[in-house]
Amino acid sequence: MDIGKSLRIACVGAGYFSQFHRDGWARLDGADVVGVCDHNFAAAQSTGINAYNDLVTMIETETPDVLDVILPPQAHAETIRTAMRAGVKTIICQKPFCRDLAEATALTRAANAADVTLIIHENFRFMPWYRTMRNILDDGGLGTVLQATFRLRPGDGQGPDAYMDRQPYFQTMPQLLIHETGIHWVDVFRFLFGDPTHVYADLRRVNPAIAGEDAGFVLLDHPDDVRVLLDGNRLLDHAADNHRRTMGEALIEGTKASLSLYGDGSVWQRPFGAQSAVCVGPANTHKNFGGDCVFAFQKHVIEGLSGRGTLVNTAQDYLTVIRARDAIYLSAETGQKRAL
């Protein structure tokens, strides 16, 4: 892409989470949102941006440099293939990226063959608290890291109306906790500790009003013998004024110190043997989702496309996350530890 050129961004999907995408693009230098497409034309019109209900028409009319796909996984493959046929050369797709590994792999190969840059919108690793944690890990502040835990507790999954006010399709997803939500932390753990090698999972459904699993434990083996536990339960909460800020609490433990993440987004470091901890990352009060991680991800993409950085989470790279997800479900089905 031309360095210094303001990129033309078109969005497909005007559902709940798309508001954060549009807000981020609007605040970024070097990006202009030129169109929004949705089968619900009224939803597209409500954005105040040039509205369409046909993807090809939007692409032909607006000639976007980048298409931002903000749709559920069942719509990813057809949308991306349509965009590639229409000549779009850079596509961003919301996670979890397609319905399964076979579909994601085929789409990645098609994008590579068409010389299309395909990037997965996985924004959790761009949350400021995980950046703080990674910096401390890189500086050796914890000594040898031995293990970590994340307790996923959004508290939004109770009763027959669970998820209906925000993302009602959650109720009918045959796979929920890991496929839709836990996959975020698979990528966060990769960011912090490297690619997992083995997984073991015990998953269950607690709320009978939904189709998929909503609770469970996942143990991941990472390089250097690090063990990570994802302890997830969407019916339970944690201490926070906004349960969607961090969605839970984390603990990383090393031989010299430990790091704790709390629901306000603050990170605290406690030296080994000490009785108290020191705040190394302040509480985050940003009004946008996840400490404004969508904006941070989009800024990273703009920098990568303009040659000022290296893109992470390309589709090819993200296949590792999907393999881990599939191994988690296979482990839960078989009761056995699975290699990736």
Side-chain angles (χ1 to χ4, degrees), residues 39 169 253 270:
H39 64 84
Y169 61 91
E253 299 173 275
R270 184 186 65 82

Side-chain angles (χ1 to χ4, degrees), residues 64-147:
D65 300 300
V66 179
L67 182 70
D68 193 3
V69 179
I70 321 166
L71 298 171
Q74 62 269 24
H76 290 172
E78 180 182 355
T79 301
I80 292 170
R81 289 186 183 278
T82 299
M84 290 194 296
R85 287 194 297 267
V88 180
K89 286 299 184 181
T90 301
I91 300 172
I92 304 170
C93 181
Q94 256 291 351
K95 52 59 65 189
F97 188 37
C98 297
R99 290 171 293 189
D100 52 42
L101 179 61
E103 189 174 69
T105 301
L107 198 59
T108 300
R109 289 173 178 166
N112 290 339
D115 196 27
V116 168
T117 300
L118 181 55
I119 307 159
I120 308 308
H121 184 116
E122 176 51 83
N123 53 52
F124 274 44
R125 64 163 64 197
F126 290 92
M127 290 176 172
W129 37 90
Y130 293 128
R131 296 280 153 168
T132 296
M133 289 176 152
R134 175 61 188 266
N135 289 338
I136 293 171
L137 290 172
D138 288 345
D139 290 342
L142 301 189
T144 300
V145 175
L146 298 180
Q147 60 195 64

Side-chain angles (χ1 to χ4, degrees), residues 12-326:
V12 54
Y16 165 77
F17 203 78
S18 65
Q19 63 183 305
F20 303 111
H21 287 239
R22 295 191 304 274
D23 172 78
W25 291 127
R27 290 186 284 127
L28 267 171
D29 291 334
D32 292 319
V33 179
V34 296
V36 174
C37 178
D38 196 286
H39 64 84
N40 181 344
F41 188 57
Q45 285 182 310
S46 71
T47 67
I49 301 167
N50 295 337
Y52 299 86
N53 60 7
D54 180 75
L55 177 58
V56 173
T57 301
M58 180 176 71
I59 292 172
E60 291 177 346
T61 304
E62 302 295 349
T63 61
D65 300 300
V66 179
L67 182 70
D68 193 3
V69 179
I70 321 166
L71 298 171
Q74 62 269 24
H76 290 172
E78 180 182 355
T79 301
I80 292 170
R81 289 186 183 278
T82 299
M84 290 194 296
R85 287 194 297 267
V88 180
K89 286 299 184 181
T90 301
I91 300 172
I92 304 170
C93 181
Q94 256 291 351
K95 52 59 65 189
F97 188 37
C98 297
R99 290 171 293 189
D100 52 42
L101 179 61
E103 189 174 69
T105 301
L107 198 59
T108 300
R109 289 173 178 166
N112 290 339
D115 196 27
V116 168
T117 300
L118 181 55
I119 307 159
I120 308 308
H121 184 116
E122 176 51 83
N123 53 52
F124 274 44
R125 64 163 64 197
F126 290 92
M127 290 176 172
W129 37 90
Y130 293 128
R131 296 280 153 168
T132 296
M133 289 176 152
R134 175 61 188 266
N135 289 338
I136 293 171
L137 290 172
D138 288 345
D139 290 342
L142 301 189
T144 300
V145 175
L146 298 180
Q147 60 195 64
T149 302
F150 184 84
R151 297 173 63 252
L152 174 64
R153 299 289 191 271
D156 60 354
Q158 295 189 21
D161 294 328
Y163 319 114
M164 293 300 291
D165 61 336
R166 191 179 65 250
Q167 289 161 299
Y169 61 91
F170 279 15
Q171 283 213 353
T172 58
M173 293 179 70
Q175 297 176 331
L176 177 64
L177 180 71
I178 302 304
H179 178 62
E180 202 292 324
T181 310
I183 199 167
H184 284 302
W185 280 277
V186 172
D187 188 65
V188 166
F189 299 152
R190 291 178 69 217
F191 171 63
L192 295 174
F193 310 114
D195 289 344
T197 59
H198 296 77
V199 299
Y200 178 80
D202 179 4
L203 307 177
R204 60 182 173 144
R205 184 184 66 170
V206 181
N207 185 349
I210 69 168
E213 84 287 355
D214 52 7
F217 298 93
V218 179
L219 181 65
L220 302 98
D221 297 354
H222 286 265
D224 301 319
D225 207 28
V226 175
R227 296 292 189 272
V228 179
L229 175 66
L230 173 61
D231 168 6
N233 192 313
R234 294 206 65 136
L235 281 75
L236 304 179
D237 71 351
H238 63 289
D241 62 304
N242 176 2
H243 292 126
R244 285 177 58 76
R245 181 184 293 112
T246 65
M247 292 196 183
E249 301 169 331
L251 176 65
I252 303 177
E253 299 173 275
T255 55
K256 291 183 179 179
S258 62
L259 286 178
S260 297
L261 167 67
Y262 295 106
D264 62 0
S266 65
V267 179
W268 295 74
Q269 184 168 337
R270 184 186 65 82
F272 184 82
Q275 294 293 309
S276 59
V278 176
C279 182
V280 293
N284 188 285
T285 58
H286 201 287
K287 64 181 179 63
N288 276 352
F289 175 80
D292 209 19
C293 62
V294 173
F295 175 84
F297 166 82
Q298 291 170 330
K299 183 173 183 289
H300 163 79
V301 170
I302 293 294
E303 291 173 348
L305 294 176
S306 63
R308 291 178 283 129
T310 301
L311 287 169
V312 299
N313 280 350
T314 61
Q316 187 67 52
D317 179 60
Y318 201 74
L319 293 178
T320 298
V321 178
I322 299 177
R323 292 188 188 98
R325 178 203 64 197
D326 289 355

